[in-house]
């Protein structure tokens, strides 16, 4: 095998740059970059928002191509992931990434394109929402299932709430008053259903994680970055709730206003409380037990919740009329942006190192 072929094989194995190695949760980087673009738009940083948005689009197209290619050429591996409880819930990152892009397009006043993207995300959510629980839980040969419960399970909550966010955002930006009566009511119903399902799924996932903690050991090696999705799922639920509350006049919105407003306030409070707990868990993992801290694609699962918390705080502060919470969201965006930049630079640097290391090591071996 030539040096170039050896290097390519290493890259495919290390980075998932081939249909055979791409992981179900590959769209987490799209989610993180997309929500940072939305946050930049809220901050009035239009140039940064545009750059991040197009970077998210490039990543989305790249990983979508690999996933489709994998479905055609590595179908057996794809089915194996669908039946793996520790991996299958990662497929929901496609739904969340799609709807994050739709939300970003809404903010840029591209209503028709956003609607098309939203429809793709909605259909994917309906399919995966039934397929994943049956394939990964009911039809899995893994036993016991609880040992495979991890932070990625909360991505199903993020997917449901991303549908609610996109639907309520589209309803608020309907181009004509006539459409408000018919199509707007459909979007309102979708938003409330998705929000309600998302909250129910969060409670279920929290129970499963609690049962695993009680019945099976969760060690420092298990507390990886995807557990930050526990906080991110609450944050996006808050965003969905605030979008519904400001979504305009609709009978189903009016009927659920009190419930959604109260639940959103509670979920924002819990997500705020979880941040120090997750930071302490990371310190315990990496400093107390000395688990190496380096770039991993899983780190994108931490960046997305950080960005989503900023957007959630900004939204809930605006809707509830609490400027201090909006201020927290504005300041937190810079923390999330710093985390995004560190992970992105780490990804690029690790990629460069891997491309340079393999040819030199192969040449040394052949010499």
């Amino acid at each position: 095998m030539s040096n170039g072929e050896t290097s390519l094989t290493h890259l495919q194995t290390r980075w998932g740059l081939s249909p055979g190695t791409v992981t179900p949760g590959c769209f987490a980087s799209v989610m993180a970059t997309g929500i940072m673009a939305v946050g930049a738009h809220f901050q009035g940083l239009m140039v940064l928002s545009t750059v991040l948005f197009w970077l998210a689009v490039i990543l989305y197209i790249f990983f979508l191509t690999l996933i489709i290619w994998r479905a055609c050429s590595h179908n057996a591996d794809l089915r194996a992931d669908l039946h793996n409880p520790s991996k299958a819930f990662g497929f929901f990152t496609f739904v969340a990434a799609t709807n994050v892009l739709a939300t970003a397009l809404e903010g840029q006043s591209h209503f028709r394109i956003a609607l098309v993207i939203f429809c793709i995300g909605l259909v994917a959510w309906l399919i995966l929402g039934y397929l994943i629980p049956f394939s990964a839980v009911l039809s899995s040969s893994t036993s016991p299932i609880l040992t495979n419960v991890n932070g990625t399970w909360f991505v199903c909550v993020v997917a449901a709430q991303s549908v609610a966010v996109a639907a309520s955002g589209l309803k608020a930006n309907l181009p004509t008053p006539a459409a408000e009566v018919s199509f707007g009511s459909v979007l309102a119903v979708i938003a409330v259903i998705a929000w309600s399902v998302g909250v129910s799924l969060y409670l279920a996932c929290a129970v499963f994680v609690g049962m695993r903690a009680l019945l099976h050991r969760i060690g420092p090696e298990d507390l990886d970055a995807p557990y930050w999705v526990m906080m991110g799922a609450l944050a996006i639920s808050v965003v969905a709730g605030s979008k519904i509350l400001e979504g305009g006049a609709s009978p189903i919105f009016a009927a659920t206003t009190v419930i959604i407003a109260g639940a959103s306030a509670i979920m924002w409070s819990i997500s705020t409380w979880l941040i120090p707990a997750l930071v302490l868990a990371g310190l315990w993992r990496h400093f107390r037990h000395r688990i190496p801290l380096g770039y991993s694609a899983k780190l994108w699962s931490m960046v997305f919740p950080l960005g989503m918390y900023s957007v959630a705080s900004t939204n809930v502060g605006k809707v509830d009329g609490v400027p201090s919470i909006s201020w927290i969201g504005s300041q937190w965006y810079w923390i999330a942006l710093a985390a995004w930049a560190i992970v992105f630079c780490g990804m690029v640097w690790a990629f460069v190192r891997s491309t340079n290391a393999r040819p030199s090591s192969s040449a040394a071996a052949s010499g």
Side-chain angles (χ1 to χ4, degrees), residues 245-287:
L245 292 176
E246 65 181 5
S250 176
I252 193 169
F253 280 2
T256 56
T257 294
V258 176
I259 297 174
I260 293 177
S264 296
I266 293 171
M267 288 187 289
W268 181 83
S269 301
I270 296 174
S271 65
T272 303
W273 177 83
L274 277 175
I275 293 175
L278 291 167
V279 171
L280 290 174
L283 294 175
W284 178 69
R285 168 184 167 88
H286 295 293
F287 291 95

Side-chain angles (χ1 to χ4, degrees), residues 25-215:
C26 61
F27 288 95
S29 60
V30 183
M31 294 164 55
T33 306
I35 199 60
M36 294 309 301
V38 173
H41 183 81
F42 284 172
Q43 298 295 321
L45 306 171
M46 298 307 174
V47 174
L48 178 61
S49 177
T50 301
V51 171
L52 290 171
F53 170 75
W54 284 109
L55 180 57
V57 170
I58 292 171
L59 291 170
Y60 182 83
I61 295 173
F62 174 69
F63 286 116
L64 181 61
T65 302
L66 288 183
I67 286 292
I68 294 174
W69 191 349
R70 189 181 196 202
C72 297
S73 61
H74 297 78
N75 189 261
D77 293 336
L78 187 67
R79 289 200 306 270
D81 286 342
L82 284 171
H83 289 283
N84 188 336
S86 64
K87 291 183 177 181
F89 287 85
F91 283 106
F92 282 109
T93 59
F94 171 73
V95 178
T98 302
N99 286 309
V100 165
L101 293 182
T103 302
L105 287 166
E106 291 167 12
Q108 299 173 16
S109 301
H110 298 300
F111 180 84
R112 295 184 183 277
I113 302 176
L115 179 60
V116 173
I117 300 298
F118 165 72
C119 290
I120 295 173
L122 176 62
V123 172
W125 177 60
L126 292 173
I127 294 174
L128 293 176
Y130 291 100
L131 176 62
I132 298 300
F134 278 97
S135 63
V137 180
L138 299 181
S139 300
S140 176
S141 59
T142 304
S143 181
I145 294 292
L146 278 178
T147 59
N148 288 270
V149 174
N150 55 41
T152 63
W153 282 45
F154 287 93
V155 183
C156 68
V157 181
V158 176
Q161 298 296 7
S162 71
V163 172
V165 170
S168 55
L170 285 169
K171 181 186 181 303
N173 292 283
L174 286 173
T176 60
E180 175 76 20
V181 179
S182 56
F183 187 57
S185 61
V186 174
L187 290 172
V189 170
I190 292 174
V192 171
I193 290 176
W195 183 86
S196 304
V197 170
V199 172
S200 300
L201 288 174
Y202 189 91
L203 295 175
C205 290
V207 169
F208 293 144
V209 170
M211 290 175 63
R212 184 192 171 180
L214 291 174
L215 300 177

